Amino acid sequence: MCGIVGYIGRAEATPILLDGLRRLEYRGYDSAGMALLEGGTIKVRKSIGRIQNLAQVIADEPVAGSLGISHTRWATHGEVTNENAHPHFDKSGRLALVHNGVIENHQTLRMRLEEGGHVFTSQTDTEVLAHLIGEAFDRRGELSQAGLVEALREALRQVIGTYGIAALHADVPGVLVGARRGSPLVLGVGRGEHFLASDVSAVVNHTREAVYLKDYEIVALREEGFEISTLAGSDASFEVSKVEFTAGDVDKGTYPHYMLKEIHEQPATVQDALRGRLSREEATVHLGGLNMSNAELRDVERIVLSGCGTAFHSAMIGEYLIESLAHLPVECEFASELRYRNLPMTRDTLVFVISQSGETADTLAALRESQRKGHRTLGICNNVASTIARESDGGVYMHAGPEIGVAATKSFTSQLTIMTLLALLFGRIRHLSYGEGMGIISELEKLPDLVAKVLELEKHVATVARKYARAENFLFMGRQANYPVALEAALKLKEISYVSASGHPSAELKHGVIALVSEETPSIFIAPQDAVFAKNLSNIEEVKARKGPVIAVGTEGDTELERVADDVILIPKAPDYLTPILASIPLQLFAYTIAVERGCDVDKPRNLAKSVTVE
Ligand code: G6P
């Protein structure tokens, strides 16, 4: 949450920073600000609301300079006001700082600083950091890069919490500094210019060479170079990585919204999740990143899957898939719960944490807690440079490319594809025959085409969605692996349309949910032709008997659903283990259309942020 961008070079910083902030807006967008060094003093511009508002403030009152820092905020401490928007300043007003993270001991530090005569102008935890660094800098009196870095080091040693920061000081005009602990920070390496950002997508327009900072590292950047050191004071080793994607990958292209673009990318992203991983020769899956031999995989007797939000729904579907194809007991748990639970885990338990961003604070904490207890803990991530990807003992990358829309879409189906791969892998190690393995591989190979076929339903889904776009409450129902699909569909709708929506196992309807059924409340049933189809059909009848409108997602060729449901969306026939992927896509389109119809900001829903780096 919160995005930071810093620039030092020869170009005009403002357009670079504004463009970077726009690309980071998914990390938070309640207010934004920028500080530039102009003629020996720091000029600041701030605005509440979107980056566009900040751009307008700057257009009205321009600033110039080639050294600057900027920030887009997702409020944690202090309301959404101009005063609380970053950058924040120290006592002298000559140091400006932007921050992503939470300073847990900010109250204690603030009291101490106030006693020493520091006056605070915001309610943020961040302002404490600015004062602390400024205080250390002034005390040392060294107006140099080394002086600023030492001041940073001294201040950060007093801090408990998480931070990704960028700062500049008017007395050290050729230097931009940054540091990280717990919140991501990447350094963009240019020619005669350098960048700092929370995410590489903010700078990929300018450079594709990046250094991903590690926790407890401090960086000092100049036009012509940079130095990375540790909080303890020694030089740090680093690697310059080539960014895999291009600026084009993080553009909307011809689509009106990132979400729609990302929904349409799914035939390719599902293909990318499969690419090079299916072995026809052995009728199994190769996932080298797991860093486990077949013998070690054979010893796994239980799997724990964890994540937050959409990633948790993938875990729930993974539970069904792995249990049915591999006959392995699986438990899934919200990462925010797992980290504080004392879940009995035997030695042969294998833990997977699932996270698109690889930065979700609760998921990272669950990973660390599991590792602390000595469990091998693997990550399923999209962001290859993320903290979870780095800290896990191995894992599987989604390879879905950057996902910018706050509502997860393509990352979800990539996660489900990986869940199927894991189910096949564990199944083949345990009881699935060569023939059965080959059968699953053949089905998986068809998956990208089936996904493309589902997307052909776009117009029909939009027509259905428009019909119900004014409803204020939606019920989503499914059974077995399609129950979490119902949860995910409800989450998508809530996130981007702000209507009340809930997901339930179809049979639970009569245990309470049915009280909500009315002519105004549409029920969406995920009812493909599977072993529980007839049961779903009865549940649909129960809703219809109470005059509830029903939309059914069924299998192509189905004629029974038409008879009972008001509207029917038919997806291609596929084995049960692939249906969740195919059923999810029309429901993504359904949520998208309703949000557009209701005039909601699809890519940046209110109160949300894509990457939740606070607990
Ligand atoms: C936030 C996002 C969700 C996402 C969840 C987990 O809440 O708004 O869309 O599913 O975080 O994110 P992760 O990056 O860990 O998959």
Side-chain angles (χ1 to χ4, degrees):
M1 340 207 64
C2 298
I4 66 184
V5 194
Y7 175 79
I8 184 159
R10 293 166 204 148
E12 203 47 67
T14 310
I16 296 171
L17 295 177
L18 280 175
D19 178 60
L21 286 183
R22 284 196 183 96
R23 293 174 189 279
L24 292 188
E25 238 184 332
Y26 72 87
R27 299 181 66 86
Y29 33 79
D30 57 44
S31 53
M34 186 183 289
L36 260 83
L37 191 62
E38 191 184 52
T41 54
I42 297 174
K43 299 283 165 58
V44 66
R45 299 287 182 271
K46 291 182 180 182
S47 169
I48 57 172
R50 300 287 161 85
I51 307 302
Q52 197 38 44
N53 301 3
L54 175 66
Q56 193 53 53
V57 168
I58 294 172
D60 294 344
E61 212 186 331
V63 268
S66 306
L67 168 57
I69 54 174
S70 61
H71 186 267
T72 179
R73 180 169 186 245
W74 189 90
T76 56
H77 293 65
E79 286 170 31
V80 178
T81 60
N82 255 347
E83 292 69 39
N84 288 335
H86 301 210
H88 291 287
F89 286 83
D90 73 334
K91 190 179 173 185
S92 73
R94 296 186 64 72
L95 175 130
L97 172 133
V98 290
H99 166 226
N100 165 209
V102 174
I103 306 303
E104 287 167 19
N105 58 341
H106 72 105
Q107 290 288 18
T108 324
L109 292 169
R110 188 175 177 132
M111 270 159 55
R112 208 249 307 135
L113 286 159
E114 278 175 340
E115 278 161 21
H118 291 255
V119 178
F120 285 79
T121 57
S122 79
Q123 291 120 34
T124 64
D125 52 332
T126 301
E127 199 180 351
V128 158
L129 268 183
H131 280 263
L132 271 184
I133 301 167
E135 183 189 51
F137 182 82
D138 292 341
R139 186 170 355 92
R140 301 179 68 84
E142 258 181 83
L143 310 187
S144 63
Q145 175 180 318
L148 186 54
V149 167
E150 271 313 317
L152 205 61
R153 199 168 271 136
E154 209 178 290
L156 293 178
R157 283 192 193 130
Q158 302 172 54
V159 159
I160 300 172
T162 55
Y163 51 80
I165 56 174
L168 54 92
H169 200 295
D171 294 337
V172 193
V175 179
L176 169 65
V177 288
R180 81 157 267 176
R181 180 182 179 269
S183 304
L185 195 62
V186 58
L187 150 61
V189 184
R191 309 278 165 267
E193 58 183 3
H194 288 95
F195 309 81
L196 264 186
S198 302
D199 175 340
V200 76
S201 61
V203 300
V204 75
N205 237 346
H206 308 282
T207 176
R208 291 180 63 196
E209 286 179 19
V211 178
Y212 297 93
L213 292 191
K214 299 189 268 302
D215 277 350
Y216 303 105
E217 283 184 350
I218 295 178
V219 62
L221 306 105
R222 295 176 312 282
E223 257 177 54
E224 291 300 345
F226 61 89
E227 276 91 45
I228 303 177
S229 55
T230 65
L231 193 58
S234 51
D235 287 346
S237 61
F238 63 85
E239 205 181 301
V240 180
S241 320
K242 185 98 186 133
V243 180
E244 274 182 27
F245 56 89
T246 64
D249 293 330
V250 288
D251 280 338
K252 276 204 290 264
T254 52
Y255 289 96
H257 298 102
Y258 280 107
M259 182 180 179
L260 191 60
K261 177 186 179 226
E262 287 156 6
I263 290 173
H264 278 272
E265 282 172 355
Q266 291 175 107
T269 51
V270 162
Q271 179 72 269
D272 289 340
L274 295 171
R275 196 180 306 284
R277 290 172 170 169
L278 299 177
S279 163
R280 287 198 143 260
E281 202 166 315
E282 296 169 59
T284 188
V285 167
H286 286 304
L287 296 171
L290 296 181
N291 299 332
M292 288 174 78
S293 66
N294 280 359
E296 286 172 315
L297 289 168
R298 184 71 187 83
D299 284 342
V300 173
E301 291 293 341
R302 182 165 167 255
I303 289 179
V304 171
L305 301 172
S306 190
C308 299
T310 293
F312 178 67
H313 296 151
S314 302
M316 289 179 78
I317 294 170
E319 179 179 10
Y320 284 95
L321 300 185
I322 297 171
E323 285 188 355
S324 73
L325 293 180
H327 297 182
L328 259 176
V330 178
E331 171 149 7
C332 48
E333 179 56 288
F334 289 108
S336 54
E337 290 295 314
L338 186 64
R339 61 182 294 189
Y340 295 118
R341 258 178 87 174
N342 206 6
L343 196 68
M345 293 207 273
T346 48
R347 298 172 74 88
D348 43 26
T349 300
L350 182 62
V351 183
F352 284 92
V353 292
I354 309 169
S355 174
Q356 185 283 130
S357 63
E359 299 292 349
T360 301
D362 283 320
T363 314
L364 179 60
L367 163 85
R368 288 177 176 161
E369 174 67 6
S370 164
Q371 285 178 328
R372 201 188 54 74
K373 289 182 170 159
H375 291 286
R376 193 194 288 261
T377 310
L378 305 174
I380 298 174
C381 294
N382 193 30
N383 182 358
V384 296
S386 62
T387 313
I388 294 178
R390 227 181 11 248
E391 290 195 14
S392 49
D393 300 309
V396 190
Y397 286 124
M398 297 174 204
H399 296 309
E403 189 178 63
I404 311 287
V406 167
T409 51
K410 62 175 179 173
S411 64
F412 179 60
T413 49
S414 296
Q415 287 159 13
L416 298 189
T417 307
I418 291 169
M419 289 296 134
T420 320
L421 293 178
L422 288 173
L424 172 56
L425 174 71
F426 282 104
R428 276 290 285 142
I429 280 180
R430 301 170 78 83
H431 70 101
L432 285 179
S433 68
Y434 177 87
E436 287 166 321
M438 280 305 276
I440 297 172
I441 287 189
S442 299
E443 295 295 344
L444 277 167
E445 285 171 343
K446 289 186 225 155
L447 184 59
D449 287 342
L450 293 182
V451 170
K453 233 175 142 221
V454 173
L455 286 169
E456 290 170 13
L457 292 167
E458 184 173 9
K459 274 209 176 95
H460 172 59
V461 174
T463 310
V464 175
R466 275 187 214 110
K467 193 168 147 189
Y468 299 97
R470 293 291 139 200
E472 289 300 330
N473 191 16
F474 289 78
L475 303 173
F476 289 84
M477 255 79 65
R479 286 171 180 259
Q480 305 286 294
N482 291 314
Y483 156 52
V485 171
L487 290 174
E488 173 61 11
L491 177 65
K492 286 291 87 87
L493 193 56
K494 277 184 280 206
E495 279 180 311
I496 61 173
S497 302
Y498 320 140
V499 295
S500 165
S502 52
H504 309 275
S506 308
E508 283 297 299
L509 192 67
K510 47 192 168 300
H511 299 295
V513 187
I514 202 157
L516 297 174
V517 168
S518 75
E519 282 177 54
E520 284 75 46
T521 303
S523 294
I524 296 93
F525 278 85
I526 300 133
Q529 287 287 351
D530 57 12
V532 288
F533 175 72
K535 309 287 175 194
N536 267 322
L537 213 54
S538 310
N539 299 133
I540 294 176
E541 299 274 14
E542 288 157 13
V543 171
K544 284 313 300 173
R546 287 157 185 88
K547 297 191 171 21
V550 169
I551 305 161
V553 177
T555 308
E556 263 174 18
D558 187 302
T559 49
E560 288 178 84
L561 285 173
E562 255 172 35
R563 191 176 47 78
V564 285
D566 297 87
D567 289 283
V568 174
I569 297 165
L570 297 180
I571 57 172
K573 187 159 182 49
D576 291 356
Y577 51 85
L578 296 183
T579 307
I581 297 178
L582 301 180
S584 297
I585 295 168
L587 295 172
Q588 296 169 347
L589 289 165
F590 184 80
Y592 172 79
T593 309
I594 290 184
V596 172
E597 282 294 304
R598 294 176 74 102
C600 300
D601 190 342
V602 174
D603 285 332
K604 299 184 194 80
R606 72 181 180 207
N607 303 340
L608 298 179
K610 187 153 187 73
S611 183
V612 181
T613 52
V614 293
E615 203 182 321

